[in-house]
Structure formats: C-alpha cells, structure tokens
Amino acid sequence: APSASAFLIHLAPHRAASPSAMGSGVSAEMLANSSQEEVQKAYAEQSPEGQEKLKEALSKMGEKSSLCASPAQTKEPKSPSSAKRPLMDLLQQGYTNCQQSLLLLPKFEEMFGSMDADANGKVKVSELGPCADMMVHAVEGVESKEELMKQFDANGDGVLTKEEWAKVSEQAVKSIQSKMAKGMISRGDGEDWSEEMKPVWAELKAKIEKLV
C-alpha cells in the first residue's frame, strides 16, 4: 500500500508505531511513513474528540485529512436509481398502510356501544363523546358533531342508529384513505425520478389513485 508520507510530507522521518501500539494517544507525527490503511485504522480507534484533533492537525500541516476516513466510513456513490429507492420503498409501504386502514372499520363501528349510554340503540348529539371528535376530524366536509349528526341522520329524527353510525365509520375510513393517497401522490409526483424508476412510480401511482 502507498505510504502516508506521500501525503504527510512535513512529519518526522522516523517510522511510526503500529496503530495497535499507538492507543488513543496517536498524533499526526506518530503516523509518519505509516501506510494509508494504518492511518485509517489509527483514526478509527480514536474518540470523536481525538478524531477531530487529528484531522485538524493534518489540515494545519497542509495535508489531506481525508486520509482519516476509515474504510467503514467510506461509502460508494449511489447510482440515481438506488438513491431514489428509499423513497419508493416508503411510498410502497404507505400504499400497504392505506389498504390496511380498512381494518379500522370494525373498531369504529364498535365505538357505538360506548356512546350508547342507555343502550337504546340510538345516540344523540350529547352522547357523541371523544370518539365522535375523531370522526369529525376524519370525515371531509364535517366541522362539528352537529354537522356529523345532520349529514348521517338519514331519517332526520335527531339521533344516529347503529346502522347510521356504520355509515359514519365507512365514510371516515374512506376519507382517511383518500387523504393518505393524495399525500403519497403529491410526494411521488414531486420527485425527479430516474428513467429507471419512472415506470415503477407510474405503476404504483395507478394503484394509489384507486384509493382517492
């Protein structure tokens, strides 16, 4: 391997001890004539503070502190397609999560029993508790419990039956799916995909659009 002296030209001419013998007290001078691999290993064995001091010493001497990069810290440049892959994975996982939001439907429907305090199979606005607040937030076009009641009270009797609450639950799940899908489409369309990844996104987008 090429000697580090080619890069550390102003260091003392003596041979440095091996990195394992240097311990945590290694200095730039001690690395004279060491191989590049030995310099990297010695750097890796230092504390974060020691690493910064070693790089600073090399920099002041006009040498390349990049020698201090250990093999583990050196990363190969990513190709355009691999650089975009994490985002694509995220979008694909988001699509899966969006589909699984259907699992919320039975849980939403079960909320009816907790609100129907007198167990008469009907709930009034006054009985719509925190559960309904979540529905108000989820359902598009609804800003209050009163609006929720008005929109889903099919017969206009001022109460929601279990069947009517099921409609509320269904609409809430659809709204959640739609919001998630729109967010993913916006994120994906805003990305500068490589030629390799463009058809992958187009295929995934077509699936996501069905949930809007």
Side-chain angles (χ1 to χ4, degrees), residues 196-211:
E196 178 186 353
M197 298 301 293
K198 283 180 179 178
V200 179
W201 166 237
E203 181 180 356
L204 179 59
K205 180 182 177 180
K207 295 178 181 178
I208 296 174
E209 287 177 331
K210 295 179 180 179
L211 301 177

Side-chain angles (χ1 to χ4, degrees), residues 10-192:
H10 297 297
L11 300 184
H14 63 279
R15 176 70 180 178
S18 67
S20 59
M22 293 177 190
S24 60
V26 65
S27 66
E29 289 78 8
M30 295 173 67
L31 295 174
N33 299 320
S34 295
S35 69
Q36 184 170 352
E37 288 76 13
E38 289 175 324
V39 175
Q40 292 174 332
K41 183 176 180 181
Y43 172 81
E45 292 175 349
Q46 305 309 302
S47 65
E49 182 180 357
Q51 290 177 345
E52 289 301 317
K53 288 182 178 180
L54 184 56
K55 286 197 293 185
E56 182 179 356
L58 291 172
S59 178
K60 286 181 178 179
M61 298 175 68
E63 306 302 336
K64 296 180 179 180
S65 58
S66 59
L67 274 176
C68 294
S70 65
Q73 293 173 314
T74 303
K75 297 181 179 180
E76 293 295 327
K78 294 181 177 181
S79 64
S81 59
S82 63
K84 303 299 182 185
R85 176 58 65 177
L87 174 59
M88 182 60 70
D89 290 345
L90 185 64
L91 291 169
Q92 289 173 333
Q93 182 60 53
Y95 172 66
T96 299
N97 293 343
C98 201
Q99 289 181 305
Q100 291 178 344
S101 63
L102 289 173
L103 299 176
L104 294 172
L105 186 56
K107 296 183 180 298
F108 285 169
E109 292 176 347
E110 289 172 5
M111 293 177 182
F112 186 87
S114 65
M115 294 186 294
D116 185 14
D118 53 10
N120 67 348
K122 301 176 182 179
V123 293
K124 299 175 291 186
V125 171
S126 59
E127 293 178 300
L128 295 175
C131 296
D133 290 330
M134 181 171 61
M135 294 302 198
V136 168
H137 180 72
V139 177
E140 293 184 6
V142 172
E143 301 295 335
S144 66
K145 294 176 183 177
E146 289 74 18
E147 289 184 12
L148 187 73
M149 176 70 74
K150 183 178 180 180
Q151 182 170 328
F152 292 94
D153 179 15
N155 58 9
D157 61 356
V159 296
L160 291 177
T161 64
K162 188 172 183 179
E163 290 72 22
E164 289 170 336
W165 180 256
K167 295 292 185 181
V168 175
S169 302
E170 182 180 351
Q171 187 59 47
V173 170
K174 286 182 178 179
S175 295
I176 291 171
Q177 279 189 328
S178 180
K179 290 176 182 178
M180 290 175 63
K182 288 178 181 178
M184 288 186 289
I185 290 173
S186 176
R187 182 66 182 88
D189 282 346
E191 187 65 23
D192 183 18

